[in-house]
Amino acid sequence: KEAADSSDSKLDMKKTMRVEEDKIDNFIKFVGDLIVASEVFNYIQKKLEITNQFPQIAKEFKNANLTFNELSNSLQKSLMDIRKVPVSQILKKIPRMIRDLSGGLNKKVRVEMYGEDTEIDKSLIEVLEAPIVHMIRNSLDHGVETPEARIEKGKPEEGTVTLRSYVANEFFNIEISDDG
């Protein structure tokens, strides 16, 4: 039974491959060129339809053009998906950072994270890390109170910092809040 479970877990693992970003960026450029060619084909198709000199050729070209457009759009979407990575690449560092910082500030803080599996473009990961760290530090420095101050205010002695990441209307959102 264990051997069967072991082979099942191997089937569940996703295969990955490292590819240099420059190669992906170059590929994206070629897909962009395909999209431009698609617009040229759309223009030619409209011209054929307007002149109505070759209706059969116009119909065949339209069908071929529709297929080309669908394939180009699918390729573009697939390529953009290749560049996506889970936001957990940034967020996985946060609990330890909060634990270390809160200890130095004599504060008790619990971390709640939601949406770690949200995927964003890899280039955003590098850009977002510093602002997220800054906002977490602000929450710990200025938001969450010491255990004594929290108890005086009728709050539990342990504060909470919550991180939520999600995509809404094609925009990536990250919310950082504390109960201080």
Side-chain angles (χ1 to χ4, degrees):
K1 173 81 179 150
E2 285 181 29
D5 289 343
S6 156
S7 66
D8 286 346
S9 67
K10 286 181 184 175
L11 292 175
D12 291 341
M13 291 175 46
K14 292 182 179 178
K15 292 183 180 182
T16 60
M17 175 174 48
R18 290 184 180 255
V19 179
E20 292 174 20
E21 274 188 70
D22 289 346
K23 289 181 179 180
I24 291 175
D25 291 342
N26 197 35
F27 195 62
I28 287 172
K29 179 189 164 301
F30 289 134
V31 170
D33 292 345
L34 268 180
I35 302 301
V36 170
S38 173
E39 290 304 314
V40 171
F41 291 155
N42 288 337
Y43 172 76
I44 293 169
Q45 175 188 329
K46 286 179 182 145
K47 251 181 124 171
L48 278 170
E49 290 172 349
I50 290 171
T51 61
N52 205 20
Q53 291 178 344
F54 308 101
Q56 185 58 35
I57 292 175
K59 183 178 178 182
E60 290 173 16
F61 187 84
K62 180 179 182 177
N63 290 336
N65 191 27
L66 286 172
T67 301
F68 181 81
N69 285 331
E70 288 172 8
L71 289 171
S72 297
N73 291 336
S74 295
L75 181 61
Q76 183 180 30
K77 183 185 179 320
S78 176
L79 188 55
M80 297 315 285
D81 286 345
I82 287 173
R83 289 190 50 88
K84 290 184 178 180
V85 294
V87 74
S88 63
Q89 287 190 4
I90 306 173
L91 300 185
K92 68 183 174 187
K93 302 172 187 176
I94 300 300
R96 181 178 177 150
M97 183 183 82
I98 289 176
R99 199 170 42 251
D100 293 347
L101 289 172
S102 63
L105 297 168
N106 295 318
K107 296 180 180 182
K108 294 182 180 179
V109 182
R110 178 170 41 97
V111 181
E112 294 179 357
M113 295 196 307
Y114 305 95
E116 300 99 321
D117 58 343
T118 303
E119 291 189 331
I120 60 174
D121 189 276
K122 185 181 185 307
S123 63
L124 285 177
I125 291 287
E126 297 155 4
V127 172
L128 288 175
E129 190 166 3
I132 289 172
V133 168
H134 180 75
M135 288 185 278
I136 295 292
R137 289 190 70 96
N138 276 347
S139 281
L140 294 177
D141 289 341
H142 308 293
V144 177
E145 307 94 336
T146 62
E148 300 80 23
R150 291 180 65 81
I151 289 171
E152 277 181 28
K153 294 178 180 179
K155 298 178 180 179
E157 70 176 353
E158 181 181 60
T160 303
V161 172
T162 305
L163 289 91
R164 284 186 178 78
S165 60
Y166 58 94
V167 175
N169 298 326
E170 297 185 25
F171 289 98
F172 172 71
N173 297 275
I174 188 154
E175 297 173 356
I176 301 172
S177 60
D178 61 66
D179 66 347

